[in-house]
Amino acid sequence: MKRGPEKQFDPEVALERAMEVFWARGYEAASLSELLAAMGIGKKSLYDTFGNKRSLFLKCLEHYAASSLACLESRLCSEDGKAVLPKIRTLLEEWRKASACSGSKGCMLGNNIADFDTSDPEIAGILQRHLETIEDAFAKALDAAQARGETKLPDSPRNVARAFVCLGQGAALISRVTDCGKATDGAIRAAAKGLMPGR
Amino acid sequence: MKRGPEKQFDPEVALERAMEVFWARGYEAASLSELLAAMGIGKKSLYDTFGNKRSLFLKCLEHYAASSLACLESRLCSEDGKAVLPKIRTLLEEWRKASACSGSKGCMLGNNIADFDTSDPEIAGILQRHLETIEDAFAKALDAAQARGETKLPDSPRNVARAFVCLGQGAALISRVTDCGKATDGAIRAAAKGLMPGR
C-alpha cells in the first residue's frame, strides 16, 4: 500500500508553539492534545520529530534558553566602551514592564521550577544551568560597571548578580497573580537603587 | 442496616498533612489517592469534612497563611523598644537557611502561583492577599527601623518591602533546583546589605 506524502511542517515553528503552551500552562497541565493543536501536527509527526512529551519539553527549554537567554550576555557585556549601568538598567526596565502586564505568563524557567517534580535530575540540571547563565552575565556586567567607577556595589558582583536573579524570578512569579504591577514595579526600582547605586 | 461508627480523625492534623502534600507536589500533581493516604482518611470523610480537592486546597492555603504568615507581623513589628533591623535580619537569615537546604520545598505560596492556572480569580486573590500580608509586615518594620535611625533605605519602605517579597519568593523558587544554596545565600546577603544598610 502506498502511503500519502508526510505532512510538511516547520519543526522550529512547531517547537516555538509547543514552548508557548508549556510556558503558559506548565509541564504537567499541558495536555498532549493541546500541544498537538497548537503545533498543528499529528501524533506521529510529534513522536517522529520530537519524541515523547518529556523530550519535547526538554527541547522547548533549550529553545527558550537559546532565544531568551543567549542574547543576555552580548547585551550586558559587549565591550563597546559604553557605560554598563544603563545597559543593566534597560534590562531591568524590560523585566519591570513585562512583570507589570496583567496576566503575565511569568518566566518559563521559574514556572517550570515550581511546577516540576524537581527530583528529575536532568530537568533540574538544565534549569540550574540556565539560571547560572543569567547570573554569569549579570556578574560580569556588574564587575565591569564597578571597575569603570560607575557604582560601588554593596557586596561582591557575584552576590549582587545572585540577588538580581532571585529578584527577577520572584517578580516574574508574583506578576502571575497581581493585577496592578505595583508590587513588582516597586521591587525592581528599590533593588536597582540599593544594589547598584549610581555615583 | 446499621452502619459502624465513623472513623475518628483530627481534622487539623489531616489538613496539615494535606498541606504538606500540596506544598511538595503542587495542586495539579497531587492526586486524590496521595492526599487520602497522607491524611489517613477515606474518600467519604474527605468530602464530608473538606469538600472536593479544590476546597481542600483552599483550606490548606488558609492554614498555611495562618500558621506561617500570621506570626510575621508580631515578630517584625512588636513594639518592645528593641532595634528593628536585627529582627528583619534574623528573619532573612531563616529564609537563607531554609533555601540553602538541598531539596527545599520552596514556598507554598510561590509554588502554587507558578503551578496554578492563575485564571482562577478566587485562588489568585488568596495568593495575592497572602503576599500583601508579608509586604505589609516588612514595610511597617522597615519604616520603624528608618524612623529609629537604624538605616537609611535606598527607596520608600513600601518599595524595599516589595523587593524583599520578590527576593524571598525568587530564593524559595530557585532553591528547588540548586543543590548548594550558594546562589540564594549570596542573593539574600547582598540584598540585606544593599537594601537596608546599617549605620
Side-chain angles (χ1 to χ4, degrees):
Chain A
M1 207 170 84
K2 240 178 90 183
R3 297 172 75 192
E6 284 285 311
K7 236 189 192 160
Q8 296 294 312
F9 68 96
D10 182 336
E12 198 154 333
V13 173
L15 194 63
E16 183 81 25
R17 289 182 182 162
M19 189 185 84
E20 296 287 333
V21 175
F22 281 129
W23 194 347
R25 305 266 293 137
Y27 177 79
E28 294 278 357
S31 72
L32 202 60
S33 55
E34 260 177 302
L35 287 163
L36 293 174
M39 297 167 83
I41 63 176
K43 226 180 218 176
K44 191 182 176 311
S45 299
L46 177 80
Y47 287 116
D48 287 351
T49 311
F50 303 105
N52 60 14
K53 182 180 169 187
R54 187 174 180 285
S55 67
L56 172 66
F57 176 71
L58 293 179
K59 287 188 174 72
C60 286
L61 265 188
E62 293 296 351
H63 180 71
Y64 179 78
S67 55
S68 297
L69 307 180
C71 64
L72 204 68
E73 203 200 301
S74 67
R75 280 188 56 188
L76 293 184
C77 308
S78 62
E79 290 174 6
D80 54 8
K82 290 186 188 157
V84 184
L85 231 49
K87 291 177 191 167
I88 305 178
R89 290 212 182 102
T90 303
L91 185 78
L92 292 177
E93 184 66 12
E94 287 172 14
W95 283 9
R96 204 180 58 73
K97 279 186 193 151
S99 63
C101 294
S102 174
S104 163
K105 273 187 307 193
C107 167
M108 188 177 178
L109 300 181
N111 291 350
N112 281 293
I113 292 171
D115 187 32
F116 238 97
D117 185 355
T118 39
S119 56
D120 183 323
E122 191 180 2
I123 289 169
I126 293 174
L127 292 170
Q128 190 174 347
R129 269 204 312 285
H130 290 348
L131 292 174
E132 282 166 3
T133 304
I134 312 176
E135 184 185 304
D136 288 346
F138 266 91
K140 200 173 161 191
L142 288 162
D143 198 25
Q146 186 158 253
R148 291 170 54 102
E150 298 175 27
T151 183
K152 188 173 168 359
L153 302 173
D155 203 340
S156 67
R158 176 61 56 183
N159 280 350
V160 175
R162 286 166 171 162
F164 278 119
V165 172
C166 271
L167 190 94
Q169 287 296 324
L173 183 65
I174 287 172
S175 69
R176 301 192 59 176
V177 287
T178 54
D179 45 13
C180 63
K182 269 189 214 153
T184 52
D185 197 277
I188 292 175
R189 276 177 204 274
K193 286 189 196 172
L195 291 170
M196 41 173 215
R199 289 224 133 160
Chain B
M1 204 172 86
K2 241 180 86 184
R3 296 174 74 194
E6 284 286 309
K7 234 188 192 163
Q8 297 293 313
F9 70 97
D10 182 336
E12 199 154 332
V13 173
L15 195 63
E16 183 81 26
R17 288 182 183 160
M19 189 186 83
E20 296 288 332
V21 175
F22 281 128
W23 193 346
R25 304 266 292 138
Y27 177 79
E28 293 278 358
S31 71
L32 202 60
S33 56
E34 259 178 301
L35 288 163
L36 293 174
M39 296 167 84
I41 64 176
K43 226 182 221 175
K44 189 181 176 312
S45 299
L46 177 80
Y47 287 116
D48 288 351
T49 311
F50 303 104
N52 60 15
K53 183 181 169 188
R54 186 174 181 282
S55 66
L56 172 65
F57 175 71
L58 293 180
K59 287 188 174 72
C60 286
L61 265 188
E62 293 298 348
H63 181 71
Y64 179 79
S67 56
S68 297
L69 307 180
C71 65
L72 204 69
E73 205 201 299
S74 66
R75 280 187 56 186
L76 292 184
C77 308
S78 62
E79 289 174 7
D80 55 6
K82 289 184 189 157
V84 184
L85 230 50
K87 292 177 190 168
I88 306 178
R89 288 211 183 102
T90 303
L91 184 78
L92 292 176
E93 184 65 11
E94 287 171 17
W95 284 7
R96 205 182 57 73
K97 278 185 193 152
S99 64
C101 295
S102 174
S104 164
K105 272 188 305 193
C107 168
M108 187 177 177
L109 299 183
N111 292 349
N112 281 292
I113 291 171
D115 186 31
F116 239 98
D117 185 355
T118 39
S119 56
D120 183 324
E122 192 180 0
I123 289 168
I126 293 174
L127 293 170
Q128 189 175 346
R129 270 204 311 287
H130 290 347
L131 292 173
E132 282 164 3
T133 305
I134 312 175
E135 185 186 303
D136 288 346
F138 266 91
K140 200 174 160 187
L142 288 162
D143 197 25
Q146 185 157 256
R148 291 170 54 103
E150 297 175 28
T151 184
K152 188 171 168 1
L153 302 173
D155 202 341
S156 67
R158 176 61 56 182
N159 280 350
V160 175
R162 286 166 171 161
F164 278 119
V165 172
C166 271
L167 190 94
Q169 287 295 327
L173 183 66
I174 288 171
S175 69
R176 302 192 60 176
V177 287
T178 54
D179 46 12
C180 64
K182 268 188 215 154
T184 52
D185 198 277
I188 292 175
R189 277 177 203 275
K193 284 189 197 172
L195 292 171
M196 41 174 214
R199 289 220 133 164

